[in-house]
Amino acid sequence: MKLTHLDDNNRPKMVDVTDKNDTKREAIASGIITMSKEAFDAIMNNEIKKGPVLQTAVIAAIMGTKKTHELIPMCHPLLLTGINCEIEENASNNSFKLFVKAKLSGQTGVEMEALTGVSIGLLTIYDMVKAIDKSMVISNVQLERKSGGKSGDFVR
């Protein structure tokens, strides 16, 4: 199997999608940040001096999704048609799970965009709460599902 990001001389290249048909594509990624009870409660009670943590994390996740091509060298700039973020609170283990769904009609998929959005959103939570808990753990950043394109659908 030949790697698509290497040319015949083994040099890096961005995949040429010129001749690919536009198809509806969607990807959902998720990740978790776990923290101390003190940090979790401060977020839930909106007591963080830097502002509303979860709302800021959603905005950061959207921005990260949109800027993926600026951060990951071989990603194409994409005309995203939709980005949606959801956060689930889990008080039993002082964690938040962030989901990012990215959509478009285009020639290449949006998995990297959804994964980048999750990563940036979780890092934003860490940044805003690190004064309370520097031991927070970001984990399980993963693709949950994708649809569209030549490789077909994927569901974790």
Side-chain angles (χ1 to χ4, degrees), residues 28-93:
I28 300 172
S30 69
I32 298 169
I33 186 165
T34 306
M35 61 195 63
S36 67
K37 180 168 178 26
E38 179 186 10
F40 183 86
D41 289 345
I43 291 171
M44 293 304 294
N45 296 323
N46 207 20
E47 297 170 343
I48 303 297
K49 292 178 182 176
K50 291 185 176 184
V53 174
L54 300 181
Q55 295 90 329
T56 304
V58 166
I59 293 167
I62 292 168
M63 291 176 65
T65 302
K66 291 166 55 173
K67 291 184 169 284
T68 298
H69 72 280
E70 295 176 21
L71 302 168
I72 310 294
M74 301 304 175
C75 286
H76 294 82
L78 301 178
L79 183 59
L80 297 167
T81 57
I83 302 170
N84 188 48
C85 303
E86 294 181 26
I87 299 178
E88 293 177 355
E89 301 99 12
N90 187 338
S92 66
N93 71 349

